[in-house]
């Protein structure tokens, strides 16, 4: 395939499924695809830098589908660490307020998931990309500016504890768009009375799109180079 033909395909519109690498921002992936294909590119749902997994990227005319894809149900797997909290609800900040896990057993952990199922109001983290006065609130929070976040309506279809090796708890969650798994980690730890934060996260599905069908970003770039010959 010559360069002109390849360029036209991406300008016409493609859906590219990428397994986002750890420590990359979602925009890092978008920028890499855009710079390589020379086509307009966007993504359908941010993943935090410390999360990995499925990122739907749309090029050219398929960017019109971004809102539709973004609204689809999500599935995540990962780990919560119990017995302490962090300001960001993940490992972007240092754990504090350590508590003993002596009174916490597997039965209590499994039972605590039930209160998070179904429709509910969830408070997003103040360290998030939600905008206040035109600026992401994480920028304001880092500067010590007071940030006010409003609860959001979310829906959690499934919340499963897949294994336990305290202080680490492995989970799987199926939820609506707009759900913050970091907030779920913080709220779950609070429900158990010991605190908790998200220590790893992988998005495994968005609607009918699955992680196993995604490519590593470098594989995608190398395949494009091969096509250009």
């Amino acid at each position: 395939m010559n360069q002109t033909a390849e360029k036209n395909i991406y300008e016409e519109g493609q859906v590219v499924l990428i397994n986002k690498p750890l420590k990359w921002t979602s925009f890092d992936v978008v920028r890499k695809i855009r710079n390589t294909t020379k086509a307009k590119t966007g993504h359908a749902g941010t993943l935090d830098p410390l999360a990995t997994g499925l990122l739907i990227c749309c090029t050219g005319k398929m960017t019109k589908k971004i809102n539709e894809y973004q609204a689809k149900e999500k599935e995540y797997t990962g780990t919560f660490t119990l017995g302490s909290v962090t300001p960001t609800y993940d490992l972007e900040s240092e754990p504090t307020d350590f508590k003993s896990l002596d009174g916490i057993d597997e039965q209590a952990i499994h039972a605590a998931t039930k209160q998070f199922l179904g429709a509910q109001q969830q408070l997003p983290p103040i360290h998030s990309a939600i905008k206040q006065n035109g600026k992401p609130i994480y920028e304001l929070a880092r500067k010590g500016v007071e940030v006010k976040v409003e609860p959001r309506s979310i829906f959690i279809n499934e919340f499963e504890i897949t294994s336990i090796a305290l202080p680490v708890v492995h989970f799987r969650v199926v939820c609506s768009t707009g759900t913050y798994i970091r907030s779920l980690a913080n709220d779950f730890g609070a429900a158990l009375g010991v605190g908790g934060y998200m220590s790893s996260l992988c998005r495994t599905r968005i609607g009918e799109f699955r992680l196993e069908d995604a490519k590593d970003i470098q594989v995608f770039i190398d395949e494009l180079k091969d096509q250009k010959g």
Side-chain angles (χ1 to χ4, degrees):
M1 185 185 295
N2 62 40
Q3 184 171 352
T4 303
E6 175 269 318
K7 180 180 176 182
N8 287 341
I9 284 174
Y10 288 96
E11 285 184 343
E12 278 302 306
Q14 295 288 309
V15 176
V16 181
L17 306 183
I18 296 293
N19 183 359
K20 188 192 81 66
L22 187 67
K23 297 187 178 178
W24 281 46
T25 67
S26 299
F27 187 69
D28 288 337
V29 175
V30 166
R31 183 168 51 227
K32 195 78 170 176
I33 293 173
R34 188 178 62 203
N35 290 345
T36 306
T37 63
K38 310 302 181 188
K40 178 171 71 171
T41 307
H43 69 75
T46 302
L47 277 174
D48 290 332
L50 292 184
T52 61
L54 180 60
L55 189 70
I56 299 177
C57 296
C58 299
T59 72
K61 294 175 183 177
M62 287 302 289
T63 55
K64 295 175 182 176
K65 290 277 196 178
I66 283 176
N67 287 342
E68 176 186 329
Y69 295 152
Q70 201 160 344
K72 290 179 179 289
E73 180 182 79
K74 314 290 195 301
E75 180 184 68
Y76 298 91
T77 61
T79 56
F80 299 152
T81 298
L82 301 176
S84 56
V85 296
T86 77
T88 56
Y89 302 169
D90 64 7
L91 282 171
E92 286 277 6
S93 53
E94 291 295 318
T96 61
D97 196 19
F98 291 88
K99 287 186 169 62
S100 170
L101 299 179
D102 286 348
I104 303 299
D105 59 19
E106 292 195 5
Q107 183 178 355
I109 291 169
H110 284 284
T113 63
K114 293 179 173 57
Q115 64 189 277
F116 295 99
L117 292 172
Q120 60 203 270
Q121 295 289 300
Q122 185 188 66
L123 203 62
I126 61 169
H127 292 265
S128 63
I130 296 169
K131 291 189 176 178
Q132 181 175 302
N133 299 325
K135 290 190 175 181
I137 59 175
Y138 70 82
E139 291 183 6
L140 302 173
R142 285 173 183 170
K143 294 175 182 176
V145 177
E146 185 177 347
V147 172
K148 185 176 182 180
V149 290
E150 297 294 334
R152 293 183 163 194
S153 297
I154 64 161
F155 195 98
I156 295 180
N157 292 304
E158 299 178 50
F159 183 10
E160 175 189 6
I161 302 300
T162 54
S163 67
I164 299 170
L166 290 175
V168 177
V169 174
H170 294 255
F171 69 87
R172 185 181 71 89
V173 169
V174 178
C175 57
S176 67
T177 188
T179 304
Y180 278 88
I181 306 300
R182 283 186 289 146
S183 288
L184 179 60
N186 182 75
D187 296 343
F188 187 68
L192 288 166
V194 295
Y197 59 87
M198 189 185 77
S199 40
S200 68
L201 185 69
C202 179
R203 185 158 63 198
T204 53
R205 181 173 63 82
I206 302 173
E208 67 273 25
F209 300 98
R210 296 184 176 275
L211 177 58
E212 51 262 39
D213 298 320
K215 294 179 179 178
D216 291 340
I217 184 66
Q218 194 55 53
V219 170
F220 175 75
I221 300 303
D222 290 344
E223 286 180 354
L224 279 184
K225 289 178 180 176
D226 291 342
Q227 290 167 5
K228 290 176 183 179

